[in-house]
Amino acid sequence: MTVTEQQRLYVERTAAEARVNVEIETEGMTLNIGPQHPATHGTLRVLVKLDGEQVVEADVVPGYMHRGYEKLTEVRTYPQITTLVNRIDWLSSFANEVPFVLAAETLMEIEAPPRAQWIRTVLFEMGRIGTMCIFLGDMGVQLGAITPVFYGFRDREHVLNLIEAATGGRFHPNYDRIGGLKEDLPKGWIDETKAAMKRIRSFCDQLEELLLGNEIFETRTRGIGVIPPEIGLEFGVSGANIRASGVDWDLRRDEDSPLAWKECDWKVWTHPDGDAFARYWVRLQETREATKIIDQLVDGLPAGPIQAKVPRIIKVPEGEAWVHTENPLGEMGYYIVSQGWLGPFRCKIRSASFSNVSIVPWLLQGVYVPDVITILASLYFILGDIDR
Amino acid sequence: MPEIPGLVKGLGVTFRTMLKGNQTTQYPHEREEPPARARGVIALKEENCTVCMLRARECPDWCIYIEGHKEKRPPRREGGRERTISILDRFDIDYALCMYCGICVEVCPFDALFWSPEYEYSEARIGDLLHDKQKLGEWMETVPEPPPLEVGAQAKKK
Amino acid sequence: MTFAVVLHLAYWQLTIIKLLVVLSVVPLGALVLGYVFLMKVMAHMQSRLGPMDSGGLASRPGLRENPFLPHGWFQLIGDFVKFVQKEDIFPALADRWVFALAPAVVIMSTFLLFVVVPAGPHLIAQNLDVGIFFALAVSSLSVLGVLMAGWASANKYSLMGALRAAGQLIAYELPMVLGIMGVVVQAGTMSLQGIVLAQAHGSIFGFGRLGEPFVITQFFGFLLFLAAAQAELIQTPFDMPLAESELVAGYLTEYSGLRYLLFYMAETASAFAFAAIAATLFLGGWYLPGIGPSRQLADVIGPFVLGAKIMLVAFLIYWIRFTYPRLREDQLQTFAWKYLIPLSLVNILVTGILKVVF
């Protein structure tokens, strides 16, 4: 057999194989999950390429709700910006104000009095509870259990009522001022808070029985969407998502912040598994932990003023500051560049959900369509927090 | 005793909830009273307004329209100077645009604006959400006293 | 037939009456279950109230506090009117005939289910000797309608929902048949009327006052039947074909108006039918202990007794639906083939041995 003969046979054989492959090969189905899909919490668009029900390729297309906050901050004054940043992560609005105000305070070199810092911390944790109530119920509804989400909304109401009683706004408190707070707490607020925390703890027990302990829930979430710690850190995943992968990293404890977390006794929960179940479990524990933090803080609330001395017209001196806190969804930070004007020259907003969602295409490879929903739900993003 | 499976426990939770009653406030029949600080609607005390335009400038989304003019009035004393007073011609808030941030209430230097927890002012037409100064003045009746403060608070200096 | 003799009805008159009764049971059952469970029980399990105002009575002062007055009882009828008014939309690429026929096929299978369910010693549309076999055969007709709906909608979500439904309904047909087999073996007949009589005349260890509801001896078969019925009815934890968080609404995505209503009604009425079959097979059907099947009274109270038992089973079905999350499609197949079917085979074996021994 000559070389050319061999080559000819080889070419024929591969061509025949190629023909067979072409006949068998079926085209993947491209499915557009979103922007208007019940599982996307708003308008996230996930493009998945399916082979049967298995995901071959996935891509996340954010931006349907872009509101241009970073640009808006450049044409607003500092007091006006706190009301804007409320709307980034709308479930825990108060937690969005705090890092911004702290950054501005750092630049102005003033510090709010301790009472203000404690109340800030209490409301911050209330925002966390409010967010988690939605998450704990919503995860159920994404997996098909319709009841938990109603329990979530029912018991979040206790927290929202407290936030409204103190700040005047249920969703958008706008309570932080540079150098302190708008006004002090109304009478009777502390007792109501303690009663509400009891309700939240019983809500956690209820959900633990209803959803977390449910065998169906376990089979649906165990081993689904596992984030290995090193991959998660590379993608910039933060918050409970990374703690569920066993990374013991919590800015509330690790960062030296003027807020009052260091004053009380609490625990950072981690879970070694890194799957959807672990993320649910960690968030449930964090909700409980938040009620404990609030209980301790309102007990030892120091007396005193709530507002430091600030000039009437707030002008932040030239400089740059970066402050980040552990928000309910993860690490949230503001990088403010000031040139001494009424508003910042540039304000970079680092929001947690954007980084958390960036891991989605990596996680979705090879999973089934129902698991796409489980993974999206367990990562827990807020659309406003992704698109800003 | 062997542990009860989670499936059965879950059934127990829903069953107990069914028997326990509910949290619904049936709105048109029963009203929920928002707390005194709730930011429902802005009320205007017209006689306190000096048409300083401060709040129109401070509003983050420019939903407030103020117009005024100055008038000369005869002096109070004989031989004194003529007084100039500002007359408020127009004071509108467009609630279709308002973000309910409360900045205007705070920046007002003469206490002409107050928050009222009133929330029942929905309209069929979006244009009707523009409240003029007369309508804003009517809200004054619903403004509650500011609530007493929690233990340990320092009274705010005016 | 006693009634026919007493009232001197001709065969055609009797047929028309039977037809009307069967035709009216479907919307009636759907209304009752839809109102009681889908609206009120579900609402209370979720600490809500559900509809309160429609029906007019509840908005009058004073009547609201009365727990016995209907709370929003008119809601479903209002919904019905709303659905009828809505535009009947066909997607541009839909297969129009198949798309239009699918709901009719689904609801047809529901209608046929009621033919063999007895509500009294003589109250049965047609006492077939192979009654239970007929019921199971007819109930699986709905798969055809679901597949038609999913394929004709020209929608990816619909297609996936329909394929899931087909796989699931076929997988759960088998455990259901096998689960019922135990009852059939014990009763020695496949006629539903015969099964009720077997329960009425039976006795447990010589104690015959209660009869012998098969739920006691065939408790395992009852659980198997409930699980399989849940899958047949496409309800949580087996509602992947609809899976509103994944597939928007599965094969129902493109339907609107009256056709959607037909699907919805078929779903609820099938729940009613399956509850009726379960009540007949396992709870003794229309038989009330103390009232012998030979008495005329049994014909009068039979429908009410059956109704009460249906509500009991339906409560179980819906209670599970409101509590559990859903499984994944492959987990559901694993559950059916690896657990339910072997277990039901064991159940048949044990029943057979015991039947021979005693």
Side-chain angles (χ1 to χ4, degrees):
Chain A
M1 218 192 282
T2 59
V3 177
T4 47
E5 184 82 347
Q6 258 182 339
Q7 277 175 340
R8 195 179 58 79
L9 279 173
Y10 176 76
V11 167
E12 270 178 14
R13 200 172 61 237
T14 47
E17 272 174 16
R19 262 202 305 282
V20 170
N21 283 343
V22 165
E23 276 162 23
I24 292 171
E25 195 181 290
T26 50
E27 209 178 309
M29 182 165 90
T30 309
L31 192 66
N32 215 345
I33 301 183
Q36 288 164 344
H37 184 278
T40 51
H41 305 257
T43 49
L44 182 73
R45 180 173 166 214
V46 186
L47 260 175
V48 288
K49 211 171 167 195
L50 298 178
D51 177 17
E53 278 219 20
Q54 212 162 16
V55 177
V56 183
E57 222 182 287
D59 198 10
V60 176
V61 189
Y64 284 84
M65 236 192 82
H66 185 65
R67 293 158 292 172
Y69 276 141
E70 288 187 14
K71 202 72 196 162
L72 269 176
T73 51
E74 293 170 21
V75 290
R76 293 287 190 277
T77 62
Y78 284 95
Q80 287 175 342
I81 289 170
T82 52
T83 173
L84 280 179
V85 297
N86 265 177
R87 275 124 178 112
I88 288 176
D89 163 11
W90 49 66
L91 287 185
S92 53
S93 313
F94 187 81
N96 298 332
E97 300 171 3
V98 173
F100 179 79
V101 170
L102 287 181
E105 283 173 2
T106 325
L107 279 177
M108 293 176 76
E109 289 172 353
I110 48 175
E111 193 161 307
R115 186 175 171 88
Q117 303 284 23
W118 285 55
I119 295 174
R120 272 181 192 173
T121 320
V122 169
L123 286 169
F124 196 105
E125 291 299 316
M126 279 193 175
R128 186 183 309 278
I129 292 173
T131 315
M132 290 311 165
C133 281
I134 301 282
F135 166 78
L136 296 172
D138 179 75
M139 182 90 176
V141 99
Q142 304 291 355
L143 294 178
I146 28 186
T147 304
V149 71
F150 288 98
Y151 295 174
F153 277 103
R154 176 191 69 191
D155 287 334
R156 185 176 72 132
E157 205 71 0
H158 301 299
V159 174
L160 286 188
N161 284 342
L162 286 170
I163 294 179
E164 190 184 21
T167 67
R170 289 166 75 76
F171 267 51
H172 306 304
N174 192 22
Y175 188 56
D176 262 316
R177 296 291 177 270
I178 288 170
L181 296 169
K182 187 174 146 211
E183 51 195 336
D184 211 302
L185 302 170
K187 202 163 185 62
W189 196 81
I190 287 176
D191 295 334
E192 281 174 38
T193 306
K194 285 187 159 171
M197 289 309 118
K198 256 189 211 127
R199 290 296 302 262
I200 297 292
R201 276 193 288 270
S202 86
F203 161 75
C204 288
D205 295 342
Q206 236 180 2
L207 273 194
E208 197 162 12
E209 282 186 10
L210 181 64
L211 207 57
L212 193 75
N214 193 308
E215 280 82 359
I216 299 175
F217 179 81
E218 253 191 90
T219 44
R220 274 303 299 279
T221 50
R222 284 251 192 227
I224 301 299
V226 179
I227 303 179
E230 61 280 3
I231 303 266
L233 286 172
E234 271 174 29
F235 273 104
V237 175
S238 56
N241 290 327
I242 200 73
R243 283 195 287 280
S245 298
V247 179
D248 191 10
W249 180 62
D250 194 321
L251 287 173
R252 288 178 282 176
R253 179 197 58 194
D254 301 342
E255 195 76 4
D256 185 31
S257 134
L259 296 178
W261 284 301
K262 54 189 180 297
E263 313 287 340
C264 54
D265 174 36
W266 58 285
K267 183 174 183 290
V268 177
W269 290 90
T270 57
H271 197 287
D273 287 355
D275 54 8
F277 183 84
R279 292 196 275 279
Y280 192 88
W281 185 87
V282 165
R283 289 209 171 91
L284 189 70
Q285 304 305 331
E286 275 184 11
T287 315
R288 286 211 177 108
E289 214 58 50
T291 62
K292 280 183 208 159
I293 294 177
I294 292 177
D295 270 352
Q296 293 177 33
L297 286 182
V298 292
D299 273 340
L301 199 62
I306 50 155
Q307 180 77 32
K309 270 205 163 74
V310 281
R312 198 167 176 85
I313 292 167
I314 289 165
K315 274 189 183 167
V316 174
E318 263 182 64
E320 294 170 12
W322 159 249
V323 171
H324 56 167
T325 49
E326 184 73 32
N327 274 43
L329 300 172
E331 177 193 1
M332 169 143 193
Y334 293 86
Y335 186 74
I336 298 180
V337 181
S338 175
Q339 296 216 331
W341 306 335
L342 288 170
F345 171 73
R346 171 87 173 88
C347 178
K348 157 76 186 146
I349 304 169
R350 194 269 188 212
S351 68
S353 295
F354 187 74
S355 309
N356 287 351
V357 161
S358 68
I359 202 176
V360 165
W362 187 87
L363 273 180
L364 289 190
Q365 283 162 1
V367 302
Y368 293 104
V369 173
D371 295 340
V372 173
I373 310 302
T374 315
I375 289 169
L376 287 180
S378 72
L379 282 175
Y380 198 47
F381 50 85
I382 300 288
L383 243 289
D385 203 32
I386 297 175
D387 289 346
R388 297 196 292 288
Chain B
M1 197 181 130
E3 201 172 323
I4 308 163
L7 294 172
V8 181
K9 270 194 200 163
L11 288 176
V13 170
T14 40
F15 193 75
R16 281 199 299 275
T17 316
M18 186 179 77
L19 299 179
K20 213 163 58 185
N22 53 70
Q23 306 273 322
T24 312
T25 310
Q26 293 196 48
Y27 167 58
H29 308 292
E30 319 163 11
R31 272 185 100 238
E32 203 171 44
E33 283 307 316
R37 274 184 193 173
R39 297 202 288 260
V41 68
I42 296 167
L44 169 71
K45 202 172 186 179
E46 206 188 323
E47 57 266 33
N48 279 4
C49 182
T50 57
V51 204
C52 62
M53 301 284 177
L54 204 55
R55 59 171 293 184
R57 259 184 296 154
E58 285 291 328
C59 178
D61 50 2
W62 306 302
C63 67
I64 300 165
Y65 310 97
I66 305 178
E67 279 168 20
H69 66 274
K70 290 200 186 332
E71 270 181 13
K72 298 276 187 204
R73 286 286 161 87
R76 279 206 188 94
R77 289 179 275 107
E78 284 289 318
R81 270 199 309 157
E82 262 192 337
R83 285 187 301 141
T84 315
I85 61 161
S86 309
I87 304 289
L88 188 62
D89 294 331
R90 180 181 178 213
F91 193 106
D92 295 352
I93 298 180
D94 191 349
Y95 281 109
L97 280 179
C98 179
M99 298 206 298
Y100 298 87
C101 60
I103 289 177
C104 52
V105 177
E106 258 171 79
V107 296
C108 181
F110 296 102
D111 276 348
L113 292 163
F114 299 92
W115 275 114
S116 151
E118 194 58 42
Y119 53 87
E120 287 169 319
Y121 53 95
S122 62
E123 300 282 355
R125 286 179 58 241
I126 197 168
D128 294 340
L129 280 172
L130 188 80
H131 287 195
D132 58 10
K133 67 177 178 182
Q134 193 200 342
K135 192 155 187 194
L136 290 171
E138 283 164 18
W139 291 122
M140 265 320 283
E141 292 169 18
T142 60
V143 174
E145 284 288 303
L149 298 180
E150 187 60 274
V151 195
Q154 251 184 18
K156 208 173 181 179
K157 288 177 297 252
K158 275 285 165 194
Chain C
M1 302 244 108
T2 342
F3 277 135
V5 176
V6 170
L7 301 172
H8 302 292
L9 288 175
Y11 178 72
W12 64 272
Q13 287 168 323
L14 205 60
T15 309
I16 287 181
I17 290 176
K18 282 175 177 174
L19 198 66
L20 285 179
V21 168
V22 168
L23 284 183
S24 61
V25 159
V26 169
L28 209 68
L31 273 182
V32 170
L33 286 200
Y35 172 68
V36 173
F37 294 110
L38 281 177
M39 291 189 162
K40 298 319 270 192
V41 169
M42 175 173 172
H44 283 275
M45 281 188 172
Q46 296 166 348
S47 48
R48 300 181 285 131
L49 281 174
M52 287 296 279
D53 280 349
S54 56
L57 284 172
S59 58
R60 251 183 258 162
L63 293 181
R64 166 166 299 276
E65 286 72 35
N66 189 340
F68 297 105
L69 274 177
H71 287 199
W73 62 280
F74 202 71
Q75 186 69 36
L76 270 177
I77 299 162
D79 282 352
F80 175 80
V81 174
K82 183 196 79 176
F83 274 122
V84 171
Q85 287 173 344
K86 283 198 166 185
E87 188 190 351
D88 193 13
I89 300 169
F90 285 91
L93 292 174
D95 205 336
R96 290 184 72 93
W97 276 101
V98 185
F99 187 80
L101 266 180
V105 173
V106 171
I107 201 145
M108 174 94 79
S109 91
T110 314
F111 275 119
L112 289 176
L113 269 177
F114 286 100
V115 169
V116 289
V117 178
H122 304 101
L123 299 178
I124 181 166
Q126 194 65 49
N127 189 7
L128 294 175
D129 286 343
V130 287
I132 188 62
F133 180 72
F134 173 82
L136 292 175
V138 166
S139 79
S140 49
L141 260 186
S142 66
V143 188
L144 199 63
V146 168
L147 262 182
M148 282 162 71
W151 183 256
S153 292
N155 180 319
K156 288 169 182 171
Y157 290 116
S158 298
L159 180 65
M160 281 171 72
L163 292 179
R164 284 181 182 191
Q168 162 180 342
L169 295 185
I170 289 165
Y172 277 83
E173 202 69 10
L174 205 52
M176 182 174 254
V177 174
L178 295 175
I180 288 172
M181 257 339 173
V183 171
V184 175
V185 168
Q186 211 180 349
T189 172
M190 270 169 118
S191 149
L192 284 172
Q193 192 70 278
I195 290 174
V196 172
L197 290 177
Q199 294 179 65
H201 294 306
S203 57
I204 307 161
F205 300 119
F207 180 71
R209 298 290 293 277
L210 282 174
E212 188 204 5
F214 286 153
V215 69
I216 296 170
T217 45
Q218 287 289 328
F219 185 68
F220 201 64
F222 182 62
L223 292 185
L224 281 171
F225 183 85
L226 269 191
Q230 208 76 355
E232 289 268 326
L233 295 170
I234 314 184
Q235 294 205 1
T236 343
F238 307 114
D239 68 335
M240 299 73 140
L242 293 176
E244 74 288 334
S245 59
E246 296 154 22
L247 300 181
V248 189
Y251 55 86
L252 297 177
T253 309
E254 295 290 353
Y255 279 92
S256 66
L258 195 58
R259 288 178 211 287
Y260 181 83
L261 177 73
L262 283 184
F263 269 117
Y264 188 76
M265 206 160 84
E267 185 198 313
T268 322
S270 306
F272 191 75
F274 273 99
I277 292 175
T280 309
L281 290 177
F282 296 100
L283 300 179
W286 45 261
Y287 172 69
L288 187 70
I291 295 165
S294 53
R295 289 168 66 180
Q296 280 283 339
L297 189 60
D299 264 332
V300 180
I301 61 161
F304 299 102
V305 175
L306 183 68
K309 288 176 179 173
I310 287 175
M311 291 312 250
L312 197 69
V313 179
F315 179 74
L316 271 180
I317 290 177
Y318 280 104
W319 188 13
I320 290 168
R321 169 178 173 163
F322 302 146
T323 306
Y324 289 164
R326 78 172 71 85
L327 283 164
R328 212 169 56 203
E329 193 63 29
D330 57 324
Q331 290 164 347
L332 161 130
Q333 299 285 354
T334 316
F335 185 61
W337 293 101
K338 283 194 181 162
Y339 300 100
L340 285 188
I341 292 178
L343 284 176
S344 50
L345 286 172
V346 170
N347 184 39
I348 295 176
L349 194 71
V350 173
T351 313
I353 291 171
L354 289 178
K355 173 96 178 166
V356 173
V357 171
F358 293 105

